[in-house]
Amino acid sequence: MIRNILILTLIAMSWQTHAQTNYPTIVIETNYGTMKAVLYDDTPRHSNHYLNLIKEGYFDGTLFHRVVKDFVIQGGAQDSRNAPAGVQIGGGRTDMELMPEFREYRFHKKGALAAPRKGDDQNPQKKSDASQFYIVQGRVYTQGRLDSMEMAVNVPIKNEIIRTHYLPHKEELDQLKAANDAVGFNALLDSLLNEVDSLYEIAPGKFFLPEELKEAYTTLGGIDRLDGEYTVFGEVTEGLEVIDKIAALPVDGNSRPETDAKIIKVYTE
């Protein structure tokens, strides 16, 4: 959880509004409905690569081969095209690996379009397997969960200030209290608390999630543990309900839908 909070700290520090795209709109037709998506300008390595694949018809006829409810739907693998029922599919291609393009302000909200990859042990550079893609379904976060994430960072910062600037004066406060010196006790206490509050106000490293991110995670949903670990290069802007339909399909032991979720065609408009 702490790693995820640190990643989200970077998102909070770097939040800004970006033009959505100069790329054409992407249309993803499936047997469960149609989605439209945009590619991000600030991930050009990935956006250009996937746009070229789309223009080649690379994903046409492939499947969403890995479906995990409240998580992601993953598809586009070439070995999924015309794959017999029950066969394990979804192999990646090492000749289509891309160096990551992590952008702190791009997070895994519902509809995020992102590139899968091998694990850190095999892939310490976190290179994307750009021969396929996944789309986030995620889950809706409570405000309390997001508040707890902020508190997990901020409370220790304030506690450290209290330890170094308040506690050394505790004995003096106890003496004033024992002497029934209410005036002296309150004056010292107010002075110490004001100092703690002032130092906390300017302390580095405090963590507050941007309102835009909170809005997305508490309404649309998302997956915070993927943020900063996988390249998000676009997002679905229309047809989010299609994600839910596919994510709800019964799956086998390999997370492949028992009834094919087919990517009929992906094209630009």
PDB file of all heavy atoms in Angstrom, residues 7-43:
ATOM      1  N   ILE A   7       3.379   6.428  -5.307  1.00  0.00           N
ATOM      2  CA  ILE A   7       3.107   6.652  -6.728  1.00  0.00           C
ATOM      3  C   ILE A   7       2.005   7.695  -6.892  1.00  0.00           C
ATOM      4  O   ILE A   7       2.107   8.622  -7.692  1.00  0.00           O
ATOM      5  CB  ILE A   7       2.713   5.331  -7.419  1.00  0.00           C
ATOM      6  CG1 ILE A   7       3.933   4.400  -7.502  1.00  0.00           C
ATOM      7  CG2 ILE A   7       2.165   5.594  -8.818  1.00  0.00           C
ATOM      8  CD1 ILE A   7       3.587   2.989  -7.903  1.00  0.00           C
ATOM      9  N   LEU A   8       0.944   7.561  -6.091  1.00  0.00           N
ATOM     10  CA  LEU A   8      -0.135   8.532  -6.181  1.00  0.00           C
ATOM     11  C   LEU A   8       0.299   9.902  -5.693  1.00  0.00           C
ATOM     12  O   LEU A   8      -0.241  10.919  -6.118  1.00  0.00           O
ATOM     13  CB  LEU A   8      -1.337   8.036  -5.371  1.00  0.00           C
ATOM     14  CG  LEU A   8      -2.141   6.920  -6.054  1.00  0.00           C
ATOM     15  CD1 LEU A   8      -3.183   6.360  -5.106  1.00  0.00           C
ATOM     16  CD2 LEU A   8      -2.810   7.424  -7.324  1.00  0.00           C
ATOM     17  N   THR A   9       1.298   9.946  -4.801  1.00  0.00           N
ATOM     18  CA  THR A   9       1.850  11.230  -4.380  1.00  0.00           C
ATOM     19  C   THR A   9       2.419  11.963  -5.585  1.00  0.00           C
ATOM     20  O   THR A   9       2.225  13.171  -5.754  1.00  0.00           O
ATOM     21  CB  THR A   9       2.956  11.032  -3.333  1.00  0.00           C
ATOM     22  OG1 THR A   9       2.410  10.345  -2.207  1.00  0.00           O
ATOM     23  CG2 THR A   9       3.513  12.364  -2.871  1.00  0.00           C
ATOM     24  N   LEU A  10       3.139  11.235  -6.438  1.00  0.00           N
ATOM     25  CA  LEU A  10       3.689  11.846  -7.644  1.00  0.00           C
ATOM     26  C   LEU A  10       2.577  12.345  -8.553  1.00  0.00           C
ATOM     27  O   LEU A  10       2.678  13.407  -9.169  1.00  0.00           O
ATOM     28  CB  LEU A  10       4.559  10.832  -8.399  1.00  0.00           C
ATOM     29  CG  LEU A  10       5.833  10.391  -7.678  1.00  0.00           C
ATOM     30  CD1 LEU A  10       6.521   9.304  -8.490  1.00  0.00           C
ATOM     31  CD2 LEU A  10       6.763  11.573  -7.466  1.00  0.00           C
ATOM     32  N   ILE A  11       1.491  11.574  -8.627  1.00  0.00           N
ATOM     33  CA  ILE A  11       0.353  12.003  -9.433  1.00  0.00           C
ATOM     34  C   ILE A  11      -0.211  13.302  -8.871  1.00  0.00           C
ATOM     35  O   ILE A  11      -0.493  14.253  -9.602  1.00  0.00           O
ATOM     36  CB  ILE A  11      -0.740  10.909  -9.450  1.00  0.00           C
ATOM     37  CG1 ILE A  11      -0.228   9.658 -10.183  1.00  0.00           C
ATOM     38  CG2 ILE A  11      -2.016  11.427 -10.113  1.00  0.00           C
ATOM     39  CD1 ILE A  11      -1.159   8.485 -10.099  1.00  0.00           C
ATOM     40  N   ALA A  12      -0.364  13.342  -7.556  1.00  0.00           N
ATOM     41  CA  ALA A  12      -0.919  14.538  -6.927  1.00  0.00           C
ATOM     42  C   ALA A  12      -0.025  15.743  -7.143  1.00  0.00           C
ATOM     43  O   ALA A  12      -0.494  16.852  -7.408  1.00  0.00           O
ATOM     44  CB  ALA A  12      -1.109  14.283  -5.432  1.00  0.00           C
ATOM     45  N   MET A  13       1.297  15.550  -7.062  1.00  0.00           N
ATOM     46  CA  MET A  13       2.229  16.651  -7.221  1.00  0.00           C
ATOM     47  C   MET A  13       2.262  17.148  -8.656  1.00  0.00           C
ATOM     48  O   MET A  13       2.556  18.322  -8.913  1.00  0.00           O
ATOM     49  CB  MET A  13       3.635  16.207  -6.804  1.00  0.00           C
ATOM     50  CG  MET A  13       3.780  15.926  -5.318  1.00  0.00           C
ATOM     51  SD  MET A  13       5.329  15.105  -4.944  1.00  0.00           S
ATOM     52  CE  MET A  13       6.518  16.329  -5.491  1.00  0.00           C
ATOM     53  N   SER A  14       1.970  16.261  -9.606  1.00  0.00           N
ATOM     54  CA  SER A  14       2.161  16.607 -11.005  1.00  0.00           C
ATOM     55  C   SER A  14       0.859  16.813 -11.761  1.00  0.00           C
ATOM     56  O   SER A  14       0.862  16.936 -12.975  1.00  0.00           O
ATOM     57  CB  SER A  14       2.960  15.491 -11.698  1.00  0.00           C
ATOM     58  OG  SER A  14       4.174  15.279 -11.048  1.00  0.00           O
ATOM     59  N   TRP A  15      -0.269  16.825 -11.046  1.00  0.00           N
ATOM     60  CA  TRP A  15      -1.557  16.921 -11.730  1.00  0.00           C
ATOM     61  C   TRP A  15      -1.645  18.207 -12.545  1.00  0.00           C
ATOM     62  O   TRP A  15      -1.317  19.273 -12.093  1.00  0.00           O
ATOM     63  CB  TRP A  15      -2.696  16.877 -10.725  1.00  0.00           C
ATOM     64  CG  TRP A  15      -4.009  16.937 -11.443  1.00  0.00           C
ATOM     65  CD1 TRP A  15      -4.732  18.046 -11.740  1.00  0.00           C
ATOM     66  CD2 TRP A  15      -4.712  15.833 -11.986  1.00  0.00           C
ATOM     67  NE1 TRP A  15      -5.866  17.695 -12.442  1.00  0.00           N
ATOM     68  CE2 TRP A  15      -5.873  16.353 -12.604  1.00  0.00           C
ATOM     69  CE3 TRP A  15      -4.487  14.460 -12.011  1.00  0.00           C
ATOM     70  CZ2 TRP A  15      -6.796  15.536 -13.236  1.00  0.00           C
ATOM     71  CZ3 TRP A  15      -5.405  13.666 -12.637  1.00  0.00           C
ATOM     72  CH2 TRP A  15      -6.547  14.195 -13.233  1.00  0.00           C
ATOM     73  N   GLN A  16      -2.085  18.073 -13.753  1.00  0.00           N
ATOM     74  CA  GLN A  16      -2.331  19.241 -14.580  1.00  0.00           C
ATOM     75  C   GLN A  16      -3.288  18.850 -15.688  1.00  0.00           C
ATOM     76  O   GLN A  16      -3.527  17.676 -15.931  1.00  0.00           O
ATOM     77  CB  GLN A  16      -1.022  19.771 -15.183  1.00  0.00           C
ATOM     78  CG  GLN A  16      -0.175  18.687 -15.848  1.00  0.00           C
ATOM     79  CD  GLN A  16       1.185  19.194 -16.260  1.00  0.00           C
ATOM     80  OE1 GLN A  16       1.256  20.139 -17.020  1.00  0.00           O
ATOM     81  NE2 GLN A  16       2.231  18.604 -15.759  1.00  0.00           N
ATOM     82  N   THR A  17      -3.877  19.826 -16.343  1.00  0.00           N
ATOM     83  CA  THR A  17      -4.824  19.557 -17.420  1.00  0.00           C
ATOM     84  C   THR A  17      -4.081  19.509 -18.740  1.00  0.00           C
ATOM     85  O   THR A  17      -3.306  20.386 -19.055  1.00  0.00           O
ATOM     86  CB  THR A  17      -5.894  20.647 -17.471  1.00  0.00           C
ATOM     87  OG1 THR A  17      -6.556  20.679 -16.207  1.00  0.00           O
ATOM     88  CG2 THR A  17      -6.907  20.360 -18.565  1.00  0.00           C
ATOM     89  N   HIS A  18      -4.315  18.460 -19.513  1.00  0.00           N
ATOM     90  CA  HIS A  18      -3.641  18.289 -20.792  1.00  0.00           C
ATOM     91  C   HIS A  18      -4.681  18.150 -21.885  1.00  0.00           C
ATOM     92  O   HIS A  18      -5.746  17.583 -21.675  1.00  0.00           O
ATOM     93  CB  HIS A  18      -2.755  17.039 -20.773  1.00  0.00           C
ATOM     94  CG  HIS A  18      -1.590  17.159 -19.852  1.00  0.00           C
ATOM     95  ND1 HIS A  18      -0.320  17.435 -20.280  1.00  0.00           N
ATOM     96  CD2 HIS A  18      -1.514  17.065 -18.504  1.00  0.00           C
ATOM     97  CE1 HIS A  18       0.504  17.498 -19.242  1.00  0.00           C
ATOM     98  NE2 HIS A  18      -0.202  17.270 -18.159  1.00  0.00           N
ATOM     99  N   ALA A  19      -4.357  18.677 -23.048  1.00  0.00           N
ATOM    100  CA  ALA A  19      -5.204  18.436 -24.206  1.00  0.00           C
ATOM    101  C   ALA A  19      -5.310  16.940 -24.414  1.00  0.00           C
ATOM    102  O   ALA A  19      -4.316  16.218 -24.338  1.00  0.00           O
ATOM    103  CB  ALA A  19      -4.599  19.106 -25.436  1.00  0.00           C
ATOM    104  N   GLN A  20      -6.505  16.454 -24.666  1.00  0.00           N
ATOM    105  CA  GLN A  20      -6.701  15.023 -24.746  1.00  0.00           C
ATOM    106  C   GLN A  20      -5.883  14.392 -25.860  1.00  0.00           C
ATOM    107  O   GLN A  20      -5.181  13.437 -25.630  1.00  0.00           O
ATOM    108  CB  GLN A  20      -8.189  14.708 -24.918  1.00  0.00           C
ATOM    109  CG  GLN A  20      -8.973  14.788 -23.623  1.00  0.00           C
ATOM    110  CD  GLN A  20      -8.526  13.764 -22.631  1.00  0.00           C
ATOM    111  OE1 GLN A  20      -8.595  12.567 -22.890  1.00  0.00           O
ATOM    112  NE2 GLN A  20      -8.046  14.191 -21.494  1.00  0.00           N
ATOM    113  N   THR A  21      -5.968  14.958 -27.071  1.00  0.00           N
ATOM    114  CA  THR A  21      -5.259  14.277 -28.150  1.00  0.00           C
ATOM    115  C   THR A  21      -5.278  15.088 -29.441  1.00  0.00           C
ATOM    116  O   THR A  21      -6.196  15.865 -29.684  1.00  0.00           O
ATOM    117  CB  THR A  21      -5.883  12.896 -28.428  1.00  0.00           C
ATOM    118  OG1 THR A  21      -5.101  12.201 -29.388  1.00  0.00           O
ATOM    119  CG2 THR A  21      -7.302  13.018 -28.944  1.00  0.00           C
ATOM    120  N   ASN A  22      -4.249  14.869 -30.241  1.00  0.00           N
ATOM    121  CA  ASN A  22      -4.253  15.305 -31.630  1.00  0.00           C
ATOM    122  C   ASN A  22      -4.401  14.108 -32.556  1.00  0.00           C
ATOM    123  O   ASN A  22      -4.314  14.246 -33.775  1.00  0.00           O
ATOM    124  CB  ASN A  22      -2.961  16.071 -31.958  1.00  0.00           C
ATOM    125  CG  ASN A  22      -2.950  17.444 -31.313  1.00  0.00           C
ATOM    126  OD1 ASN A  22      -3.939  18.161 -31.333  1.00  0.00           O
ATOM    127  ND2 ASN A  22      -1.816  17.811 -30.729  1.00  0.00           N
ATOM    128  N   TYR A  23      -4.590  12.937 -31.969  1.00  0.00           N
ATOM    129  CA  TYR A  23      -4.755  11.705 -32.743  1.00  0.00           C
ATOM    130  C   TYR A  23      -6.223  11.529 -33.125  1.00  0.00           C
ATOM    131  O   TYR A  23      -7.126  12.074 -32.482  1.00  0.00           O
ATOM    132  CB  TYR A  23      -4.308  10.498 -31.914  1.00  0.00           C
ATOM    133  CG  TYR A  23      -2.821  10.429 -31.673  1.00  0.00           C
ATOM    134  CD1 TYR A  23      -2.266  10.967 -30.521  1.00  0.00           C
ATOM    135  CD2 TYR A  23      -1.973   9.833 -32.598  1.00  0.00           C
ATOM    136  CE1 TYR A  23      -0.899  10.906 -30.288  1.00  0.00           C
ATOM    137  CE2 TYR A  23      -0.602   9.758 -32.383  1.00  0.00           C
ATOM    138  CZ  TYR A  23      -0.066  10.303 -31.225  1.00  0.00           C
ATOM    139  OH  TYR A  23       1.283  10.244 -31.000  1.00  0.00           O
ATOM    140  N   PRO A  24      -6.482  10.746 -34.162  1.00  0.00           N
ATOM    141  CA  PRO A  24      -7.881  10.477 -34.520  1.00  0.00           C
ATOM    142  C   PRO A  24      -8.559   9.623 -33.455  1.00  0.00           C
ATOM    143  O   PRO A  24      -7.899   8.911 -32.690  1.00  0.00           O
ATOM    144  CB  PRO A  24      -7.757   9.710 -35.849  1.00  0.00           C
ATOM    145  CG  PRO A  24      -6.392   9.098 -35.811  1.00  0.00           C
ATOM    146  CD  PRO A  24      -5.530  10.073 -35.072  1.00  0.00           C
ATOM    147  N   THR A  25      -9.869   9.702 -33.425  1.00  0.00           N
ATOM    148  CA  THR A  25     -10.640   8.856 -32.505  1.00  0.00           C
ATOM    149  C   THR A  25     -10.509   7.397 -32.916  1.00  0.00           C
ATOM    150  O   THR A  25     -10.546   7.062 -34.104  1.00  0.00           O
ATOM    151  CB  THR A  25     -12.124   9.266 -32.520  1.00  0.00           C
ATOM    152  OG1 THR A  25     -12.225  10.618 -32.066  1.00  0.00           O
ATOM    153  CG2 THR A  25     -12.960   8.365 -31.632  1.00  0.00           C
ATOM    154  N   ILE A  26     -10.343   6.532 -31.926  1.00  0.00           N
ATOM    155  CA  ILE A  26     -10.236   5.096 -32.169  1.00  0.00           C
ATOM    156  C   ILE A  26     -11.579   4.447 -31.890  1.00  0.00           C
ATOM    157  O   ILE A  26     -12.210   4.718 -30.864  1.00  0.00           O
ATOM    158  CB  ILE A  26      -9.165   4.471 -31.244  1.00  0.00           C
ATOM    159  CG1 ILE A  26      -7.812   5.185 -31.415  1.00  0.00           C
ATOM    160  CG2 ILE A  26      -9.038   2.978 -31.516  1.00  0.00           C
ATOM    161  CD1 ILE A  26      -7.277   5.191 -32.813  1.00  0.00           C
ATOM    162  N   VAL A  27     -12.032   3.593 -32.797  1.00  0.00           N
ATOM    163  CA  VAL A  27     -13.288   2.868 -32.629  1.00  0.00           C
ATOM    164  C   VAL A  27     -12.964   1.384 -32.446  1.00  0.00           C
ATOM    165  O   VAL A  27     -12.231   0.795 -33.251  1.00  0.00           O
ATOM    166  CB  VAL A  27     -14.216   3.051 -33.842  1.00  0.00           C
ATOM    167  CG1 VAL A  27     -15.537   2.316 -33.613  1.00  0.00           C
ATOM    168  CG2 VAL A  27     -14.461   4.539 -34.100  1.00  0.00           C
ATOM    169  N   ILE A  28     -13.482   0.792 -31.372  1.00  0.00           N
ATOM    170  CA  ILE A  28     -13.248  -0.624 -31.068  1.00  0.00           C
ATOM    171  C   ILE A  28     -14.602  -1.334 -31.126  1.00  0.00           C
ATOM    172  O   ILE A  28     -15.423  -1.210 -30.207  1.00  0.00           O
ATOM    173  CB  ILE A  28     -12.609  -0.808 -29.679  1.00  0.00           C
ATOM    174  CG1 ILE A  28     -11.329   0.028 -29.559  1.00  0.00           C
ATOM    175  CG2 ILE A  28     -12.306  -2.283 -29.407  1.00  0.00           C
ATOM    176  CD1 ILE A  28     -10.759   0.092 -28.143  1.00  0.00           C
ATOM    177  N   GLU A  29     -14.848  -2.052 -32.209  1.00  0.00           N
ATOM    178  CA  GLU A  29     -16.096  -2.794 -32.362  1.00  0.00           C
ATOM    179  C   GLU A  29     -15.928  -4.197 -31.798  1.00  0.00           C
ATOM    180  O   GLU A  29     -14.980  -4.905 -32.155  1.00  0.00           O
ATOM    181  CB  GLU A  29     -16.498  -2.888 -33.833  1.00  0.00           C
ATOM    182  CG  GLU A  29     -16.959  -1.582 -34.443  1.00  0.00           C
ATOM    183  CD  GLU A  29     -17.497  -1.770 -35.853  1.00  0.00           C
ATOM    184  OE1 GLU A  29     -17.555  -2.933 -36.321  1.00  0.00           O
ATOM    185  OE2 GLU A  29     -17.837  -0.755 -36.494  1.00  0.00           O
ATOM    186  N   THR A  30     -16.844  -4.592 -30.920  1.00  0.00           N
ATOM    187  CA  THR A  30     -16.811  -5.939 -30.347  1.00  0.00           C
ATOM    188  C   THR A  30     -18.191  -6.572 -30.514  1.00  0.00           C
ATOM    189  O   THR A  30     -19.170  -5.898 -30.871  1.00  0.00           O
ATOM    190  CB  THR A  30     -16.456  -5.906 -28.845  1.00  0.00           C
ATOM    191  OG1 THR A  30     -17.628  -5.582 -28.086  1.00  0.00           O
ATOM    192  CG2 THR A  30     -15.363  -4.887 -28.548  1.00  0.00           C
ATOM    193  N   ASN A  31     -18.277  -7.865 -30.235  1.00  0.00           N
ATOM    194  CA  ASN A  31     -19.580  -8.522 -30.301  1.00  0.00           C
ATOM    195  C   ASN A  31     -20.450  -8.190 -29.090  1.00  0.00           C
ATOM    196  O   ASN A  31     -21.562  -8.703 -28.961  1.00  0.00           O
ATOM    197  CB  ASN A  31     -19.427 -10.040 -30.459  1.00  0.00           C
ATOM    198  CG  ASN A  31     -18.591 -10.669 -29.365  1.00  0.00           C
ATOM    199  OD1 ASN A  31     -17.728 -10.027 -28.771  1.00  0.00           O
ATOM    200  ND2 ASN A  31     -18.820 -11.950 -29.085  1.00  0.00           N
ATOM    201  N   TYR A  32     -19.948  -7.333 -28.196  1.00  0.00           N
ATOM    202  CA  TYR A  32     -20.738  -6.870 -27.050  1.00  0.00           C
ATOM    203  C   TYR A  32     -20.998  -5.361 -27.102  1.00  0.00           C
ATOM    204  O   TYR A  32     -21.481  -4.783 -26.132  1.00  0.00           O
ATOM    205  CB  TYR A  32     -20.058  -7.248 -25.737  1.00  0.00           C
ATOM    206  CG  TYR A  32     -20.164  -8.731 -25.460  1.00  0.00           C
ATOM    207  CD1 TYR A  32     -19.156  -9.608 -25.855  1.00  0.00           C
ATOM    208  CD2 TYR A  32     -21.295  -9.258 -24.848  1.00  0.00           C
ATOM    209  CE1 TYR A  32     -19.266 -10.968 -25.623  1.00  0.00           C
ATOM    210  CE2 TYR A  32     -21.418 -10.623 -24.616  1.00  0.00           C
ATOM    211  CZ  TYR A  32     -20.402 -11.469 -25.005  1.00  0.00           C
ATOM    212  OH  TYR A  32     -20.529 -12.827 -24.778  1.00  0.00           O
ATOM    213  N   GLY A  33     -20.664  -4.752 -28.233  1.00  0.00           N
ATOM    214  CA  GLY A  33     -20.894  -3.331 -28.373  1.00  0.00           C
ATOM    215  C   GLY A  33     -19.650  -2.598 -28.856  1.00  0.00           C
ATOM    216  O   GLY A  33     -18.586  -3.200 -29.053  1.00  0.00           O
ATOM    217  N   THR A  34     -19.776  -1.301 -29.040  1.00  0.00           N
ATOM    218  CA  THR A  34     -18.703  -0.486 -29.604  1.00  0.00           C
ATOM    219  C   THR A  34     -18.207   0.532 -28.583  1.00  0.00           C
ATOM    220  O   THR A  34     -18.999   1.174 -27.886  1.00  0.00           O
ATOM    221  CB  THR A  34     -19.190   0.250 -30.870  1.00  0.00           C
ATOM    222  OG1 THR A  34     -19.553  -0.731 -31.845  1.00  0.00           O
ATOM    223  CG2 THR A  34     -18.109   1.155 -31.434  1.00  0.00           C
ATOM    224  N   MET A  35     -16.883   0.673 -28.519  1.00  0.00           N
ATOM    225  CA  MET A  35     -16.243   1.679 -27.677  1.00  0.00           C
ATOM    226  C   MET A  35     -15.492   2.656 -28.562  1.00  0.00           C
ATOM    227  O   MET A  35     -15.004   2.293 -29.633  1.00  0.00           O
ATOM    228  CB  MET A  35     -15.248   1.023 -26.706  1.00  0.00           C
ATOM    229  CG  MET A  35     -15.871   0.094 -25.697  1.00  0.00           C
ATOM    230  SD  MET A  35     -14.620  -0.792 -24.689  1.00  0.00           S
ATOM    231  CE  MET A  35     -14.218  -2.169 -25.793  1.00  0.00           C
ATOM    232  N   LYS A  36     -15.395   3.895 -28.105  1.00  0.00           N
ATOM    233  CA  LYS A  36     -14.543   4.873 -28.750  1.00  0.00           C
ATOM    234  C   LYS A  36     -13.480   5.328 -27.747  1.00  0.00           C
ATOM    235  O   LYS A  36     -13.757   5.431 -26.550  1.00  0.00           O
ATOM    236  CB  LYS A  36     -15.349   6.072 -29.249  1.00  0.00           C
ATOM    237  CG  LYS A  36     -16.294   5.724 -30.405  1.00  0.00           C
ATOM    238  CD  LYS A  36     -16.960   6.961 -30.983  1.00  0.00           C
ATOM    239  CE  LYS A  36     -17.842   6.596 -32.164  1.00  0.00           C
ATOM    240  NZ  LYS A  36     -18.467   7.796 -32.784  1.00  0.00           N
ATOM    241  N   ALA A  37     -12.285   5.593 -28.268  1.00  0.00           N
ATOM    242  CA  ALA A  37     -11.170   5.924 -27.381  1.00  0.00           C
ATOM    243  C   ALA A  37     -10.308   7.012 -28.000  1.00  0.00           C
ATOM    244  O   ALA A  37     -10.341   7.244 -29.214  1.00  0.00           O
ATOM    245  CB  ALA A  37     -10.324   4.679 -27.108  1.00  0.00           C
ATOM    246  N   VAL A  38      -9.538   7.676 -27.157  1.00  0.00           N
ATOM    247  CA  VAL A  38      -8.533   8.624 -27.599  1.00  0.00           C
ATOM    248  C   VAL A  38      -7.160   8.116 -27.191  1.00  0.00           C
ATOM    249  O   VAL A  38      -7.021   7.384 -26.211  1.00  0.00           O
ATOM    250  CB  VAL A  38      -8.767  10.040 -27.018  1.00  0.00           C
ATOM    251  CG1 VAL A  38     -10.079  10.612 -27.513  1.00  0.00           C
ATOM    252  CG2 VAL A  38      -8.726  10.029 -25.487  1.00  0.00           C
ATOM    253  N   LEU A  39      -6.143   8.511 -27.956  1.00  0.00           N
ATOM    254  CA  LEU A  39      -4.749   8.251 -27.620  1.00  0.00           C
ATOM    255  C   LEU A  39      -4.139   9.547 -27.106  1.00  0.00           C
ATOM    256  O   LEU A  39      -4.469  10.636 -27.582  1.00  0.00           O
ATOM    257  CB  LEU A  39      -3.976   7.757 -28.847  1.00  0.00           C
ATOM    258  CG  LEU A  39      -4.529   6.508 -29.535  1.00  0.00           C
ATOM    259  CD1 LEU A  39      -3.734   6.217 -30.813  1.00  0.00           C
ATOM    260  CD2 LEU A  39      -4.499   5.306 -28.604  1.00  0.00           C
ATOM    261  N   TYR A  40      -3.228   9.441 -26.153  1.00  0.00           N
ATOM    262  CA  TYR A  40      -2.655  10.635 -25.536  1.00  0.00           C
ATOM    263  C   TYR A  40      -1.466  11.182 -26.329  1.00  0.00           C
ATOM    264  O   TYR A  40      -0.626  10.430 -26.815  1.00  0.00           O
ATOM    265  CB  TYR A  40      -2.192  10.328 -24.113  1.00  0.00           C
ATOM    266  CG  TYR A  40      -3.296  10.020 -23.133  1.00  0.00           C
ATOM    267  CD1 TYR A  40      -3.094   9.094 -22.111  1.00  0.00           C
ATOM    268  CD2 TYR A  40      -4.536  10.657 -23.205  1.00  0.00           C
ATOM    269  CE1 TYR A  40      -4.087   8.812 -21.186  1.00  0.00           C
ATOM    270  CE2 TYR A  40      -5.534  10.373 -22.287  1.00  0.00           C
ATOM    271  CZ  TYR A  40      -5.309   9.457 -21.284  1.00  0.00           C
ATOM    272  OH  TYR A  40      -6.298   9.176 -20.365  1.00  0.00           O
ATOM    273  N   ASP A  41      -1.395  12.487 -26.393  1.00  0.00           N
ATOM    274  CA  ASP A  41      -0.268  13.142 -27.056  1.00  0.00           C
ATOM    275  C   ASP A  41       1.034  12.956 -26.287  1.00  0.00           C
ATOM    276  O   ASP A  41       2.118  12.942 -26.881  1.00  0.00           O
ATOM    277  CB  ASP A  41      -0.535  14.652 -27.181  1.00  0.00           C
ATOM    278  CG  ASP A  41      -1.708  14.947 -28.099  1.00  0.00           C
ATOM    279  OD1 ASP A  41      -1.908  14.192 -29.050  1.00  0.00           O
ATOM    280  OD2 ASP A  41      -2.416  15.939 -27.844  1.00  0.00           O
ATOM    281  N   ASP A  42       0.945  12.839 -24.970  1.00  0.00           N
ATOM    282  CA  ASP A  42       2.160  12.814 -24.157  1.00  0.00           C
ATOM    283  C   ASP A  42       2.739  11.413 -23.973  1.00  0.00           C
ATOM    284  O   ASP A  42       3.649  11.207 -23.175  1.00  0.00           O
ATOM    285  CB  ASP A  42       1.919  13.483 -22.797  1.00  0.00           C
ATOM    286  CG  ASP A  42       0.693  12.940 -22.089  1.00  0.00           C
ATOM    287  OD1 ASP A  42       0.222  11.850 -22.450  1.00  0.00           O
ATOM    288  OD2 ASP A  42       0.200  13.614 -21.162  1.00  0.00           O
ATOM    289  N   THR A  43       2.207  10.433 -24.725  1.00  0.00           N
ATOM    290  CA  THR A  43       2.812   9.099 -24.786  1.00  0.00           C
ATOM    291  C   THR A  43       3.031   8.741 -26.253  1.00  0.00           C
ATOM    292  O   THR A  43       2.511   7.732 -26.743  1.00  0.00           O
ATOM    293  CB  THR A  43       1.908   8.047 -24.109  1.00  0.00           C
ATOM    294  OG1 THR A  43       0.587   8.108 -24.694  1.00  0.00           O
ATOM    295  CG2 THR A  43       1.808   8.298 -22.604  1.00  0.00           C
TER     296      THR A  43
END
